[in-house]
Amino acid sequence: MFRPRLRAPRLAASLGLRATVNARRGIHHVPELKHDFSEGVPNLMSPAGFQIAWADYQGLVIEKLNALTAGSELEDKDTKTISLLTAREPSQAPIFNYASMAHNNHFFFQGLAPGGTPMPEALRSDLESSFASLETLRRELVVTASAMFGPGFVWLVKTAPHEYKVLSTYLAGSPYPGAHWRRQGSDMNTLGSQGSASEYYRNKAEARRRNTNELPPGGVALEPVLCLNTWEHAWLLDWGVGREGHGGKAAYVEAWWEQIDWEEVARRAGIREQPQAATSAAASS
C-alpha cells in the first residue's frame, strides 16, 4: 500500500536541508511499543490493520522525516520538539506534518493496552468531576470523532489541576499551544499605520522562535493525556464505512474505549497513586 522509499529529495533541497533517502542516515526510528501487538490489538485492529496503522504508516512518516531533516539542526531533536519549532514557519510545513504525524500516531498507540487497564481512582474522580460521568466522556469522544469531516485526532487534555477537556485536531495538527502561532509577512490590520498590534508581533517574533512553550494570544495551557486516531488507515480496513448503525468510525471508537491504557493516561496526567498495600497499612494503623 505504501511506497517503501522516499522519492522526493527536491522538497528537502527547497527547504535548505541536505536530504538523503538512505534510511541508515536518519536518526529517528519507529519506536518500540510497551505492549505486544504482534497479533493486532484485540477487538480493535486485526494483525493486517495494525501492520498498516503502525508498522507501515509510522515507518513511512519517519523515513520522510529523516530525509527532510538530515544534516539540519532538527536532525537530532524529538518529533514533538520538531513539530513545535516548525509549526510557525510556512516554509517548513512538510517537516511539521511528518514530525507531528509521527508524534500523534505514537501517542495514540502508547495509550492502548490489550483489553485495557483499570482506571486509577484519582483519575476517575477528576474525569467524573470534569464530565459529570465517565459515560458522558465516552459519548463526547464518540460524537466528536464521528462529527469530524476528515482525518485527524481527538484528544483528552488536562487544562488545570483536576480539570480535563476534549479537543480535536485535523490532519497532522498538533494539540500543543506552542504550535498554534501563525505568522504572515504583514499584519493586515495595521498595514500602513502605527497600530499597537503590529508593534506587538514584531517584538514577539524572536521570543516565539526561542520559546516553544509560549502561549499564543488567547491560548490555553494544556497537556495531552490521551489520543484517538481518526485517520481512515487506522479503522477503515477492520470497521468499514459503516451503514445502518453497524461498523464504521463510531463502532471503532466504541471498541477503542475498551482498549485504553488508563494507567498510561494517569502517568501523563501526573497522577501517582499509593500502592494498594501501603494504603491498606496506613488505614489500619
Side-chain angles (χ1 to χ4, degrees):
M1 178 174 288
F2 300 108
R3 293 182 180 179
R5 307 299 298 171
L6 175 66
R7 301 182 183 277
R10 294 180 182 176
L11 179 58
S14 69
L15 299 175
L17 304 176
R18 296 191 299 276
T20 176
V21 296
N22 187 344
R24 292 174 296 179
R25 177 66 179 86
I27 289 179
H28 302 96
H29 302 281
V30 176
E32 293 288 335
L33 295 175
K34 180 169 61 173
H35 301 286
D36 180 14
F37 295 125
S38 58
E39 298 301 319
V41 184
N43 302 314
L44 183 67
M45 292 182 184
S46 64
F50 175 79
Q51 177 69 26
I52 291 174
W54 175 248
D56 291 347
Y57 196 84
Q58 193 75 5
L60 177 73
V61 296
I62 288 294
E63 182 180 27
K64 291 190 174 182
L65 179 63
N66 278 328
L68 291 172
T69 60
S72 76
E73 62 181 6
L74 300 174
E75 182 179 44
D76 60 349
K77 292 178 171 54
D78 62 77
T79 54
K80 176 184 174 181
T81 300
I82 294 174
S83 63
L84 290 173
L85 290 173
T86 57
R88 309 165 186 179
E89 302 294 340
S91 64
Q92 294 183 326
I95 298 176
F96 167 80
N97 285 331
Y98 290 121
S100 187
M101 191 67 194
H103 171 79
N104 295 355
N105 199 41
H106 186 208
F107 204 116
F108 164 67
F109 277 99
Q110 283 181 309
L112 296 176
T117 61
M119 183 182 295
E121 284 303 317
L123 177 62
R124 179 185 296 271
S125 177
D126 286 350
L127 294 179
E128 288 177 341
S129 175
S130 297
F131 297 96
S133 70
L134 294 181
E135 176 61 16
T136 301
L137 170 60
R138 185 190 68 81
R139 290 180 185 176
E140 184 167 344
L141 290 166
V142 173
V143 170
T144 301
S146 299
M148 294 178 70
F149 193 74
F153 298 86
V154 179
W155 305 83
L156 177 65
V157 300
K158 186 173 185 178
T159 56
H162 314 297
E163 293 183 9
Y164 297 79
K165 295 183 183 298
V166 171
L167 66 82
S168 57
T169 58
Y170 280 85
L171 300 176
S174 175
Y176 299 102
H180 296 169
W181 285 95
R182 291 294 180 265
R183 300 180 61 201
Q184 60 187 40
S186 301
D187 180 356
M188 301 309 294
N189 293 309
T190 59
L191 189 62
S193 69
Q194 299 299 318
S196 59
S198 179
E199 183 66 22
Y200 171 81
Y201 283 106
R202 280 200 301 270
N203 292 339
K204 300 294 282 187
E206 286 301 320
R208 291 202 304 270
R209 282 196 287 269
R210 293 192 298 268
N211 181 12
T212 59
N213 293 319
E214 185 187 3
L215 291 176
V220 176
L222 59 82
E223 185 64 34
V225 298
L226 179 65
C227 176
L228 167 63
N229 189 341
T230 67
W231 278 70
E232 285 84 354
H233 63 255
W235 57 270
L236 192 58
L237 179 69
D238 292 313
W239 296 92
V241 296
R243 289 190 177 92
E244 299 179 357
H246 299 288
K249 185 164 57 173
Y252 156 77
V253 179
E254 297 274 11
W256 164 79
W257 176 263
E258 302 298 328
Q259 310 301 323
I260 295 174
D261 187 341
W262 290 110
E263 294 176 356
E264 175 66 14
V265 175
R267 184 191 70 79
R268 290 188 177 278
I271 295 175
R272 297 290 185 271
E273 291 199 321
Q274 291 181 334
Q276 186 64 37
T279 303
S280 301
S284 62
S285 61

